Structure formats: C-alpha cells, structure tokens
C-alpha cells in the first residue's frame, strides 16, 4: 500500500478538485482550455519565426484556419482507431467518440492531418511547405507542453505509483483498478511538459546556430519529441487497447519508428540540400495576401 505521510502530502502535487466549471449553462473544461492556449502559443511563436524566415505577417494565423480543424480531426481519429473498444465495444456508446472535450487526442494523428491542412493552405498562397513547417515545428512543442496540463485536469495518463516528493495525488475515482489504495503516482504529464519545453529550447538554439532548412527542423523536432515520449510512455499505467505489441505499447513503437525515419531523413537532406532555402515562396504573393504594413510600406 502506498500511504502518504503528512509531510509527503505537503510536498506532492495535488490534482484539481474539478476539471469543469460552468458559466451559466456553458461548461468550461480545463482540458479544452489547455488545448486552446497551446494552439494560440504555437501560432504566436510560428508567426514570429515565419516572418523571420521571410514570410508575411499574418500568414500563419490564416493557415491555422486549415491546420487546427484538420489537426483536431486527425488527433481524434488516431485515438479512436487505436482505442476503438472504448467507444465501439459491448455496452459502449459510439457517439462518445465525438466528445473531444473529454480528452483523447492522439498527437501523431493531429500532426499528420494538421500538416495536410497546412499543405493545402500553403499551396493556395504560393508558400513552400518545408520552410513553413520548419518555422512552425518549435511552437508545436510548446503547444504540446501546454496541452499536457489537460491530463492533469482530467487526472488521467499518469505513471506508476511513487513516493517521490513531486508525486501526483490522484483521487480514488480516477485510480486504476487494483490501485485504489495507492495515493500518489508519477506525474507523466509534467515530465512530458518539461521535456517538450527543453526540446523547444534546444531546437531554437540549433536552428539559430546552424540555420537549418529543407524540413530538417521538423526532423529534429520528431527526434527530440519521440526520444522523450518513448520513455515517458513506458511509465504510464493506463490501460490501452494495444498495450502489448511485441512487448511494448503501440505509442512506444510509433516513437521508435518515427525517430529512425526522422534521423534517416535528416541525414539524407543534410547531404542533398545543405543550408537553408533561399526563398520561402513558389510565387510572389498577391496584394490581398500581404499584410497592411507591407502593403503600405510602413515599418514597426
């Protein structure tokens, strides 16, 4: 039994007493707020980096209209496909597969379809996709770091039992079967948040130092993220449908495969396309695609 002494209680991380608040009839969910704040942060960071790469101010915000809905759909699809028994098993309600606000977004589905949305939007504006994705990738790490706090509000996806000073307190109603008497667990949401912020700092430094281009910032993003996600995923004790695929959880295998693929692409691209792109566009922007400042020629 994992009991908690009064001293340890003062040192552990408490879970929120609730994850939903009501503004009249409208529910405000902590999980959704974390996702929204992460999206806003990613757009803000991506916008600044895109302008620094030679893009037009406002383009990232415009492209988010494509990327965000595609990403949300992709994230939900990945989750539902890999854990379909939660929604389509015996006694389940398939309609709940649409309840995104309750949690359950697979990051790789979100990134894959989000990138498709960006590709579609970029083609309509004459933007090269590789430098655009390179500009956006670091901000995605910050968005993921912020989004992980949604798991804290939902008291979900935590690690195994622990008595470490930074252990996470989990209410009985949210504990896994067989661990109802165990009070504190590894805060894997916090581990991934800190890892992602550290990876963001490393990625920014590497890009500034070596002027990386041709999609290699994205490759580094994948390698940095999966290196952390692999070991953090192994700490989690939540039941998933593909919990044992050749001895590992599906998401661990996904991290391994994507890390290797990204490393191969990085090596190939470095040899084939050293340096950065000289231009970030396939054509000159139309006047209605330019920001007001650039149209008027003003400077900030």
């Amino acid at each position: 039994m994992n009991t908690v002494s009064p001293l340890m209680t003062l040192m552990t991380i408490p879970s929120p007493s609730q994850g939903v608040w009501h503004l009249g009839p409208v529910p405000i969910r902590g999980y959704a707020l974390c996702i929204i704040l992460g999206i806003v942060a990613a757009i803000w960071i991506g916008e600044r980096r895109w302008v620094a790469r030679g893009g037009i101010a406002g383009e990232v915000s415009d492209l988010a209209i494509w990327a965000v809905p595609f990403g949300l759909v992709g994230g939900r699809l990945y989750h539902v496909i890999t854990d379909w028994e939660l929604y389509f098993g015996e006694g389940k309600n398939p309609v709940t597969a649409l309840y995104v606000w309750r949690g359950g977004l697979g990051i790789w589905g979100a990134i894959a379809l989000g990138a498709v949305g960006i590709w579609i939007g970029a083609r309509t504006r004459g933007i090269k996709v590789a430098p655009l994705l390179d500009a956006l990738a670091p901000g995605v790490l910050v968005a993921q770091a912020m989004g992980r706090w949604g798991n804290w509000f939902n008291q979900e996806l935590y690690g195994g039992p622990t008595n470490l000073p930074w252990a996470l307190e989990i209410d009985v109603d949210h504990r896994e079967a067989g661990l109802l008497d165990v009070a504190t667990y590894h805060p894997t949401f916090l581990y991934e948040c800190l890892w992602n912020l550290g990876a963001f700092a490393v990625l920014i430094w590497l890009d500034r130092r070596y002027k990386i281009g041709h999609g290699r910032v994205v490759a580094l993003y994948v390698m940095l993220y999966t290196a952390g996600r692999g070991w953090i995923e192994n700490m989690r004790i939540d039941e998933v449908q593909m919990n044992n695929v050749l001895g590992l959880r599906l998401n661990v295998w996904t991290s391994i495969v994507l890390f290797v693929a990204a490393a191969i692409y990085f090596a190939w691209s470095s040899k084939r396309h050293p340096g950065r792109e000289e231009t970030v566009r396939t054509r000159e922007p139309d006047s209605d695609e330019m920001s007001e400042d650039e149209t008027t020629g003003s400077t900030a």
Side-chain angles (χ1 to χ4, degrees):
M1 179 182 296
N2 182 22
T3 57
V4 182
S5 69
L7 177 60
M8 289 296 291
T9 300
L10 293 175
M11 302 174 69
T12 55
I13 302 171
S15 287
S17 58
Q18 63 186 91
V20 184
W21 303 266
H22 287 83
L23 189 61
V26 180
I28 308 297
R29 300 179 183 274
Y31 182 90
L33 286 176
C34 291
I35 297 297
I36 292 170
L37 289 174
I39 291 171
V40 171
I43 292 173
W44 183 78
I45 295 169
E47 191 80 66
R48 292 170 62 88
R49 284 178 49 80
W50 178 238
V51 171
R53 286 291 298 270
I56 297 174
E59 283 185 318
V60 170
S61 299
D62 292 341
L63 291 172
I65 297 174
W66 291 93
V68 172
F70 271 72
L72 290 175
V73 171
R76 191 59 174 179
L77 279 175
Y78 183 91
H79 168 71
V80 172
I81 290 171
T82 55
D83 271 311
W84 62 268
E85 287 184 351
L86 294 175
Y87 309 99
F88 302 100
E90 184 178 351
K92 304 297 182 180
N93 182 4
V95 176
T96 59
L98 303 175
Y99 295 173
V100 178
W101 54 88
R102 291 185 178 178
L105 292 174
I107 184 60
W108 297 120
I111 290 174
L113 275 196
V116 171
I118 290 174
W119 177 79
I120 294 172
R123 284 180 61 85
T124 66
R125 301 178 70 95
I127 295 172
K128 291 184 177 180
V129 176
L132 175 61
L133 293 178
D134 279 345
L136 298 178
V140 174
L141 282 166
V142 175
Q144 291 174 249
M146 299 176 73
R148 273 302 170 199
W149 286 84
N151 301 140
W152 179 60
F153 279 106
N154 286 354
Q155 297 194 48
E156 62 183 1
L157 310 186
Y158 46 84
T162 182
N163 279 320
L164 291 170
W166 55 84
L168 175 66
E169 299 173 32
I170 296 294
D171 296 339
V172 174
D173 291 343
H174 296 278
R175 296 174 191 170
E176 295 291 320
L179 294 172
L180 298 181
D181 293 332
V182 180
T184 55
Y185 301 81
H186 279 286
T188 50
F189 82 92
L190 181 60
Y191 297 162
E192 188 166 331
C193 172
L194 295 176
W195 179 273
N196 288 345
L197 292 177
F200 166 77
V202 170
L203 203 54
I204 291 293
W205 179 82
L206 288 173
D207 194 27
R208 287 179 177 175
R209 174 69 175 80
Y210 296 104
K211 307 298 182 185
I212 307 169
H214 297 280
R216 290 191 294 278
V217 176
V218 177
L220 285 172
Y221 152 76
V222 172
M223 287 188 283
L224 287 169
Y225 175 67
T226 54
R229 178 62 187 267
W231 66 267
I232 293 171
E233 181 75 22
N234 248 352
M235 297 179 68
R236 284 168 39 176
I237 59 173
D238 54 299
E239 285 294 328
V240 293
Q241 190 170 330
M242 298 184 184
N243 198 41
N244 188 345
V245 180
L246 300 178
L248 296 173
R249 291 164 70 108
L250 174 64
N251 280 329
V252 176
W253 279 116
T254 302
S255 294
I256 294 171
V257 171
L258 289 175
F259 181 94
V260 172
I264 292 172
Y265 174 81
F266 186 90
W268 174 84
S269 178
S270 297
K271 184 176 181 179
R272 184 74 177 270
H273 303 291
R276 271 186 178 176
E277 299 88 345
E278 294 183 1
T279 177
V280 298
R281 314 194 76 87
T282 59
R283 63 171 173 81
E284 291 300 315
D286 299 330
S287 59
D288 59 350
E289 293 174 344
M290 300 180 67
S291 68
E292 181 179 349
D293 285 349
E294 294 197 47
T295 302
T296 59
S298 61
T299 58

